[in-house]
Amino acid sequence: MCGITGWVSFDRDLRAADEVATLDAMTETMACRGPDDRGTWIAPHAGLGHRRLAIIDLPGGRQPMSVATPEGDVVLVYSGEAYNYTELRTELAGRGHRFVTDSDTEVVLHGYLEWGESVAERLNGMYAFAVWDSRHDELVMIRDRMGVKPFYYWPTSDGVLFGSEPKAILANPLARPRVTLDGLRELFSLVKTPGHAVWDGMYEVEPGTVVTVDRDGPRRRVYWRLETRRHTDDRDTTVATVRSLLDDIVRRQLVSDVPRCVLLSGGLDSSAVTALAARRLAESGEKVRTFAVDFVGRTENFVADELRTTPDTPFVHDVARGSGTVHRDIVLDPDILADPEVRARMIRARDIPMGLGDMDTSLYLLFRAIREHSTVALSGESADEVFGGYLQFFDEEARRADTFPWLVRFDEHFGEDSRMLREDVARALDLRSYIRGGYDSAVAGVERLDGESDFEYRMRRICYLHLTRFVRVLLDRKDRASMAVGLEVRVPFCDHRLVEYVYNTPWALKSFDGREKSLLREAVADVLPRSVYERTKTPYPSTQDPKYAVALQEHARALLARPDHRVFELIDRDRLLKAVESEAPQITSASRRGLERTLDLAVWLDMYEPEVILG
């Protein structure tokens, strides 16, 4: 895994000293993503930068990587993993290509030489890469199908800037850090609009898309989308197919030349990955390492609620014992969760203030602790979106709502942070209309099968929304938190073969026993402890310790002592004061989340000094 960046300018010479220094600055913003090596490549009209996290072929995968052709150089900067690179390498060798390294990077580069941008259709993996093709004076940017790896670009008057993260682009003076109402709407809506980057003038390379930039500007081609197909397999065949796919996916994603592990929560998804990985590694006499996050006193003092009925730790330990893993719990206390320095690190990692509070900071701290032992981790992320694991899949109100289903009870469960906004800002944002417009646009992309019942079509739409909108929020969070500490997190459930197959499985089959994720549970039943098999869905943990809320209040009180802070251009002081003066044990979820969002906004405004346009 790595960080990439670059600058294409058809009207200037990028070899000039100032331009070289700017490219270096852009590259250095990606140092956390790639702590092992750095490299740049510069030509008159193109400059590419790379920071490397070495995973496969440690001495041989240096970038930017280039091949000289009679018509000009073809140069690649690449982030991610191609899990089928050995098969592609064999095929390319049969077509006359010669390799000098064992890296997947070189396979992707030669794949581009052989198939052009159509190499994207042949890759299985998570990736974001850019190719400067001197033969045609054009830049080709390609992102993986599910959007596991981030990729941003900023069109300029004579070319483009690009990077794995916005910070790389914002290091170039041509990119002004500016956020308009639309960017703020994106921040507060909990919906990841395709192509939207929050920063004005910046865009995402959308998942499953190729963006090509030449002297005529950028053009887009979608090479993959979630398509509707008729499912003809019966239940037994479907369960067997899911298991076969998972076995193959985990086998491929365990390939690494550096230490790897599995993130274990004690839920169905991570337990399945752990058990399958343990089986695979046992064939070569290895044990899998596992790590889990917990909070001081949480298991002993756990209080059940509608979302979380059981603590994770007992189930984590059941899986660790059953699969014979080398396990370690990462136990966090409220002080470090609310530490302003940790908050700032997470804001810097994400480039935007998402306001997810301890669920963000705890993830960052978990990854930081894991990085001391492993460089690669497999995660159970995205199984809920693929197999239908969330409460909203079974909530009749959410099923029938003409909005994104996860929003129907989100405020009830987690708190509505937008209540902390000033009235004039809230009116200008008009989040209800923004969300409705995004929903209408999203469901317009869902294809209906001939003869599909109204109920099955409604459930297909809900699955589609989770796989094309909600999952991208979580994938971005996972990538930024992990790569901020140089940890590569792989996501087996985002393999496009599995996603395509399960998406087209009727809901009646996805939930054949009336429970969430029926197909996944049956597919891995033979490798799971009974306790995990019978456990209901529990979200990522959040601290219940009132000391955390007290710490938030103290930090917000310090912010209130700075009445000229820019955050009060957005946040209502009186509402913030009310949240600060609440008795901590009685603090509402809305007040807690409002405090988290406010503190995030304040840090972001100080760190990036963006121009915020409210008109």
Side-chain angles (χ1 to χ4, degrees):
M1 200 72 68
C2 306
I4 65 174
T5 190
W7 184 4
V8 172
S9 175
F10 293 107
D11 293 343
R12 69 174 80 198
D13 189 341
L14 296 182
R15 296 171 299 179
D18 287 349
E19 280 73 7
V20 170
T22 296
L23 180 64
D24 284 340
M26 295 169 68
T27 303
E28 288 313 297
T29 65
M30 298 288 95
C32 289
R33 296 186 73 90
D36 297 330
D37 197 8
R38 75 175 302 280
T40 57
W41 179 92
I42 302 179
H45 299 304
L48 306 180
H50 187 265
R51 292 289 316 210
R52 186 184 184 207
L53 177 62
I55 303 294
I56 292 174
D57 188 10
L58 307 191
R62 297 196 69 192
Q63 299 183 49
M65 187 175 287
S66 62
V67 171
T69 77
E71 297 81 26
D73 290 347
V74 178
V75 191
L76 170 71
V77 282
Y78 169 79
S79 170
E81 304 292 343
Y83 301 124
N84 63 335
Y85 81 98
T86 54
E87 297 99 313
L88 290 176
R89 180 188 176 100
T90 299
E91 181 179 356
L92 288 164
R95 293 170 176 259
H97 292 260
R98 296 293 174 261
F99 296 90
V100 296
T101 76
D102 293 323
S103 69
D104 61 334
T105 303
E106 189 179 17
V107 172
V108 173
L109 178 55
H110 281 265
Y112 175 82
L113 290 170
E114 181 68 30
W115 300 299
E117 67 179 43
S118 295
V119 66
E121 284 94 329
R122 295 174 177 265
L123 296 175
N124 176 306
M126 55 178 190
Y127 46 83
F129 61 91
V131 177
W132 173 251
D133 193 335
S134 300
R135 301 171 301 179
H136 309 293
D137 262 2
E138 66 180 19
L139 181 78
V140 179
M141 298 179 284
I142 299 177
R143 190 176 181 195
D144 67 69
R145 295 169 179 84
M146 290 294 291
V148 180
K149 302 313 299 174
F151 204 176
Y152 297 86
Y153 68 103
W154 182 299
T156 65
S157 61
D158 70 331
V160 71
L161 312 171
F162 71 85
S164 292
E165 299 179 4
K167 62 176 64 70
I169 294 170
L170 295 173
N172 191 303
L174 294 176
R176 295 175 58 187
R178 180 170 57 196
V179 176
T180 65
L181 281 172
D182 244 15
L184 292 175
R185 290 173 181 128
E186 191 72 9
L187 279 178
F188 281 90
S189 64
L190 202 69
V191 177
K192 198 158 177 55
T193 304
H196 207 303
V198 175
W199 299 96
D200 187 43
M202 191 183 300
Y203 304 90
E204 277 194 320
V205 177
E206 293 183 34
T209 300
V210 179
V211 177
T212 303
V213 180
D214 58 20
R215 291 179 182 273
D216 295 326
R219 62 182 183 274
R220 298 171 61 256
R221 179 179 74 86
V222 176
Y223 72 87
W224 183 87
R225 59 168 52 90
L226 202 53
E227 295 180 342
T228 296
R229 301 178 186 133
R230 191 170 300 280
H231 186 84
T232 58
D233 292 344
D234 61 17
R235 182 198 298 180
D236 289 345
T237 303
T238 301
V239 169
T241 301
V242 168
R243 176 56 178 271
S244 176
L245 283 168
L246 286 173
D247 282 336
D248 181 66
I249 292 164
V250 170
R251 174 184 65 81
R252 291 176 182 274
Q253 296 198 19
L254 283 170
V255 174
S256 171
D257 292 336
V258 293
R260 70 281 212 233
C261 66
V262 178
L263 308 177
L264 178 58
S265 71
L268 174 62
D269 318 331
S270 65
S271 299
V273 174
T274 298
L276 295 177
R279 275 199 167 192
R280 177 66 183 178
L281 293 180
E283 296 173 5
S284 56
E286 292 184 70
K287 286 182 176 290
V288 65
R289 283 180 171 269
T290 51
F291 294 88
V293 67
D294 198 4
F295 304 103
V296 172
R298 187 173 192 271
T299 301
E300 298 82 359
N301 304 307
F302 180 81
V303 178
D305 58 30
E306 184 180 357
L307 285 180
R308 301 175 178 91
T309 56
T310 52
D312 289 341
T313 299
F315 299 92
V316 166
H317 293 171
D318 283 352
V319 175
R321 282 191 297 270
S323 293
T325 78
V326 180
H327 181 73
R328 181 171 182 173
D329 293 322
I330 307 299
V331 183
L332 307 175
D333 64 56
D335 290 337
I336 195 168
L337 286 173
D339 187 336
E341 181 181 344
V342 175
R343 180 180 300 279
R345 287 180 181 273
M346 194 60 195
I347 298 296
R348 180 61 178 165
R350 298 198 70 169
D351 292 308
I352 53 176
M354 283 301 295
L356 294 179
D358 70 304
M359 290 191 290
D360 264 357
T361 53
S362 65
L363 192 68
Y364 169 83
L365 292 166
L366 171 65
F367 289 155
R368 189 172 72 176
I370 290 173
R371 186 60 175 88
E372 297 176 6
H373 308 277
S374 294
T375 310
V376 171
L378 273 65
S379 166
E381 188 90 84
S382 306
D384 288 307
E385 290 80 5
V386 174
F387 288 95
Y390 295 117
L391 283 177
Q392 58 262 23
F393 282 95
F394 298 87
D395 182 337
E396 195 59 33
E397 182 181 350
R399 284 173 168 178
R400 294 186 176 279
D402 288 330
T403 190
F404 296 102
W406 54 90
L407 296 181
V408 171
R409 300 197 189 280
F410 186 87
D411 294 345
E412 175 186 331
H413 291 145
F414 299 101
E416 184 182 356
D417 58 354
S418 61
R419 289 181 184 174
M420 204 67 78
L421 291 171
R422 288 170 38 158
E423 288 290 349
D424 57 332
V425 174
R427 282 195 303 271
L429 289 178
D430 190 10
L431 290 175
R432 186 182 300 274
S433 295
Y434 183 74
I435 290 169
R436 181 55 193 256
Y439 172 79
D440 290 343
S441 175
V443 296
V446 185
E447 304 166 74
R448 184 172 187 169
L449 276 177
D450 290 341
E452 192 169 42
S453 72
D454 290 345
F455 174 75
E456 282 289 350
Y457 178 54
R458 188 159 64 246
M459 296 310 298
R460 179 184 293 280
R461 295 204 305 182
I462 290 175
C463 294
Y464 181 91
L465 292 172
H466 280 83
L467 289 168
T468 63
R469 298 300 190 275
F470 189 58
V471 75
R472 295 176 188 176
V473 175
L474 301 181
L475 289 173
D476 187 71
R477 167 178 172 262
K478 177 272 307 171
D479 177 88
R480 302 301 193 84
S482 62
M483 293 308 293
V485 297
L487 177 71
E488 173 177 294
V489 177
R490 299 175 178 178
V491 195
F493 291 109
C494 277
D495 186 294
H496 70 279
R497 298 169 299 163
L498 182 69
V499 171
E500 290 171 348
Y501 185 77
V502 178
Y503 171 67
N504 283 297
T505 302
W507 182 253
L509 199 48
K510 283 190 181 79
S511 58
F512 64 79
D513 59 2
R515 298 188 60 189
E516 78 282 359
K517 295 180 285 194
S518 307
L519 286 177
L520 175 60
R521 184 177 291 101
E522 284 308 304
V524 295
D526 62 311
V527 296
L528 293 178
R530 194 69 192 176
S531 61
V532 174
Y533 179 88
E534 294 174 350
R535 190 187 187 195
T536 57
K537 162 68 184 173
T538 298
Y540 182 84
S542 178
T543 182
Q544 297 179 325
D545 195 323
K547 293 178 184 177
Y548 174 71
V550 171
L552 292 178
Q553 289 175 311
E554 289 303 312
H555 299 152
R557 185 173 285 111
L559 187 60
L560 283 164
R562 301 168 60 190
D564 59 343
H565 196 286
R566 289 184 62 200
V567 76
F568 296 114
E569 298 171 12
L570 303 171
I571 296 298
D572 186 291
R573 283 179 50 82
D574 291 337
R575 292 174 181 175
L576 182 61
L577 179 61
K578 183 178 179 181
V580 165
E581 292 179 342
S582 299
E583 290 293 328
Q586 282 77 44
I587 190 169
T588 65
S589 58
S591 293
R592 172 170 149 168
R593 188 151 185 264
L595 288 169
E596 292 170 330
R597 173 71 83 172
T598 299
L599 294 170
D600 278 7
L601 281 167
V603 170
W604 175 68
L605 289 167
D606 288 340
M607 185 179 293
Y608 286 87
E609 300 181 342
E611 178 186 2
V612 179
I613 301 173
L614 298 176

